[in-house]
Amino acid sequence: MQSHSFSQNSLYERLGGESLVEVAVEIFYMKVIEDDRVSHFFRWTNMETQIERQKAFLTYVFGGPKPYTGRDLNLAHAHLRAYGLKDSHFDIVVEHLIDSLKDLGVDFGLIEEVMLLTEEAREDVMGRR
């Protein structure tokens, strides 16, 4: 993933900043945990910690003001790939992210930008880069 610098015109700001990211991630993980197709990947995950990590990651990827200091996507998802993570699971998770943004009334043009970023991340998450 590319480093994104913060600006007033960043995707982060256009989405609604910290308040949008906070709520979107909460809704997103509710959807993921309720979905039997992907919830098993989070069986042993401390969800409170995971939610905070995801908020930090999305803030960074969307061009927000805080740096991301977590593990790179390839390493962070290696154990999930060993547990059977496939592109079809990635698609389901992206669907939940998009639905969460739709639930919050985010403009489709902004959702398309988010979709492009998730596709950029796919190769790293899936361990192909």
Side-chain angles (χ1 to χ4, degrees):
M1 295 287 314
Q2 296 177 2
S3 171
H4 299 276
S5 60
F6 177 71
S7 75
Q8 292 300 340
N9 295 325
S10 68
L11 178 57
Y12 178 79
E13 286 299 317
R14 290 180 288 127
L15 283 167
E18 184 177 2
S19 58
L20 182 280
V21 170
E22 295 274 329
V23 175
V25 171
E26 298 281 344
I27 293 170
F28 164 72
Y29 276 116
M30 280 192 323
K31 292 177 182 294
V32 167
I33 294 305
E34 291 174 358
D35 189 329
D36 292 339
R37 300 171 298 172
V38 291
S39 62
H40 60 282
F41 290 110
F42 298 90
R43 185 175 301 141
W44 296 283
T45 302
N46 177 324
M47 289 309 296
E48 205 171 291
T49 300
Q50 181 63 29
I51 286 169
E52 290 309 310
R53 284 181 184 151
Q54 187 69 16
K55 288 175 183 176
F57 179 71
L58 290 180
T59 295
Y60 166 75
V61 170
F62 294 163
K66 299 175 186 171
Y68 177 69
T69 58
R71 293 183 297 167
D72 83 11
L73 293 178
N74 189 324
L75 289 174
H77 292 86
H79 70 288
L80 297 177
R81 292 190 305 271
Y83 193 57
L85 182 68
K86 305 281 186 243
D87 280 287
S88 59
H89 300 116
F90 186 91
D91 293 338
I92 292 164
V93 170
V94 169
E95 177 185 311
H96 288 311
L97 177 59
I98 299 311
D99 287 346
S100 299
L101 295 173
K102 286 179 182 175
D103 289 351
L104 293 169
V106 172
D107 178 77
F108 186 71
L110 296 175
I111 291 174
E112 283 184 319
E113 289 185 55
V114 171
M115 290 168 60
L116 288 172
L117 290 171
T118 61
E119 283 309 309
E120 277 185 34
R122 180 186 296 267
E123 297 304 302
D124 294 320
V125 169
M126 298 311 301
R128 295 190 289 252
R129 165 169 62 194

